[in-house]
Amino acid sequence: GGRRRRAGRAPASGIPLCSLTMLCLIAAAQSYVLQPQPLVSRGAVAAVSRSGPVVAAVAVDAKTVKTLRDATGAGMMDCKKALIESEGDMDAATESLRKKGLASAEKKSGRATKEGIIETYIHTGAKLGIMVEVNCETDFVAKRPEFQELAKSLAMQIAACPTVEAISSDDISADWIEKEKKIEAASDDLQGKPEQIIEKIVNGRVEKAIKTKLLLEQPYIRDSGMTVDEFVKGYTAKLGENIKVARFARFTVGGGAEEAEEA
């Protein structure tokens, strides 16, 4: 018989099987190490560093956006952006839109307001009545339900504020201010104090007294977190036109009429 093959040898080359296995593993490892890897350009790295931290976008559903739009009157895209920036916090989004609305209202404040409506409110018991004129830029806006809602709310606000006599500080006469300053300066609790201290205290008291008389400076009756001025400016942003409270009159049974008009 032929010679017996020795165990552990490859039939063709005569190389041990264990050595062949080792060579294959080394070759595979070298192929992996030497394989060229994709390079990231410096420009790409710079772009990533400039972009800042990655922030996960907050999912905002259409229903939430609509709720915010109904509450603020802002556009759908503005509402969605505000909700994303506030991470879904409705109060924070509302405040953000309110501030933007006030800024927008300031830009429109110089426009002429020759249209508008006269609204009335009769308080329960028919002993108190309010008439207020609210102006806007066009008849189109004057006929909108939102504008009429604003006028009605202002009439109710005036009814709820018996100390209000004027619309803004421009309506307070300089003579009245000087008279009030003299009265306050003569107060017993200020006698003997340094002149500079007296002047500071008097100015503070008169400013406080003036504020109680001004419609636009009053806290809004349905949301004490904003003034009437901010409430009106919110409608300016919502309706896209300059809005002014022109004048109002308060009627009380047996007391005649008290009128206030924008200067």
Side-chain angles (χ1 to χ4, degrees):
R3 289 185 303 175
R4 297 176 61 186
R5 294 175 180 173
R6 296 178 62 183
R9 294 278 184 178
S13 62
I15 300 175
L17 288 174
C18 61
S19 298
L20 281 173
T21 302
M22 184 64 68
L23 287 172
C24 289
L25 290 173
I26 293 172
Q30 288 177 338
S31 175
Y32 176 79
V33 172
L34 297 177
Q35 184 177 0
Q37 302 296 316
L39 298 177
V40 179
S41 67
R42 291 182 179 180
V45 172
V48 171
S49 63
R50 286 195 301 267
S51 65
V54 177
V55 179
V58 177
V60 178
D61 59 84
K63 184 178 180 181
T64 304
V65 174
K66 185 178 184 303
T67 300
L68 182 59
R69 183 172 186 256
D70 292 341
T72 62
M76 292 292 284
M77 293 306 298
D78 289 335
C79 290
K80 183 175 181 180
K81 182 179 178 182
L83 284 166
I84 291 174
E85 290 176 349
S86 63
E87 299 182 352
D89 187 323
M90 184 68 76
D91 292 337
T94 300
E95 180 63 15
S96 173
L97 289 172
R98 188 180 72 85
K99 289 179 179 178
K100 290 179 181 178
L102 294 178
S104 175
E106 289 294 340
K107 294 178 181 178
K108 297 181 176 71
S109 62
R111 297 183 189 175
T113 52
K114 297 182 179 180
E115 294 292 340
I117 61 173
I118 295 174
E119 184 59 80
T120 59
Y121 169 72
I122 306 299
H123 191 57
T124 304
K127 301 291 186 182
L128 170 65
I130 303 296
M131 183 178 291
V132 59
E133 179 183 346
V134 186
N135 296 146
C136 57
E137 297 176 42
T138 65
D139 187 52
F140 173 76
V141 165
K143 292 178 179 178
R144 289 185 60 172
E146 297 95 330
F147 186 79
Q148 295 169 13
E149 174 188 76
L150 167 63
K152 178 63 78 174
S153 296
L154 289 171
M156 295 177 67
Q157 176 79 38
I158 296 165
C161 300
T163 63
V164 166
E165 299 176 3
I167 296 168
S168 68
S169 58
D170 295 335
D171 306 322
I172 303 296
S173 70
D175 291 340
W176 183 90
I177 293 174
E178 284 303 314
K179 180 181 176 181
E180 286 298 309
K181 284 184 177 181
K182 290 179 180 179
I183 293 173
E184 289 295 339
S187 299
D188 293 338
D189 61 332
L190 297 183
Q191 302 311 306
K193 293 183 181 294
E195 186 176 342
Q196 292 181 339
I197 298 299
I198 292 176
E199 182 179 1
K200 184 177 180 180
I201 294 174
V202 166
N203 287 337
R205 289 179 179 180
V206 172
E207 286 177 7
K208 186 176 180 180
I210 291 173
K211 192 173 181 179
T212 64
K213 294 177 174 292
L214 306 181
L215 172 63
L216 296 181
E217 294 294 328
Q218 303 308 303
Y220 177 47
I221 54 175
R222 292 179 178 173
D223 182 358
S224 59
M226 71 169 73
T227 64
V228 173
D229 186 42
E230 291 172 334
F231 175 63
V232 173
K233 286 178 178 177
Y235 275 83
T236 296
K238 182 185 293 187
L239 298 175
E241 288 193 4
N242 188 21
I243 296 174
K244 296 286 186 182
V245 183
R247 53 183 171 171
F248 68 84
R250 181 188 289 107
F251 299 86
T252 55
V253 173
E258 300 171 6
E259 298 185 12
E261 185 173 351
E262 186 182 31

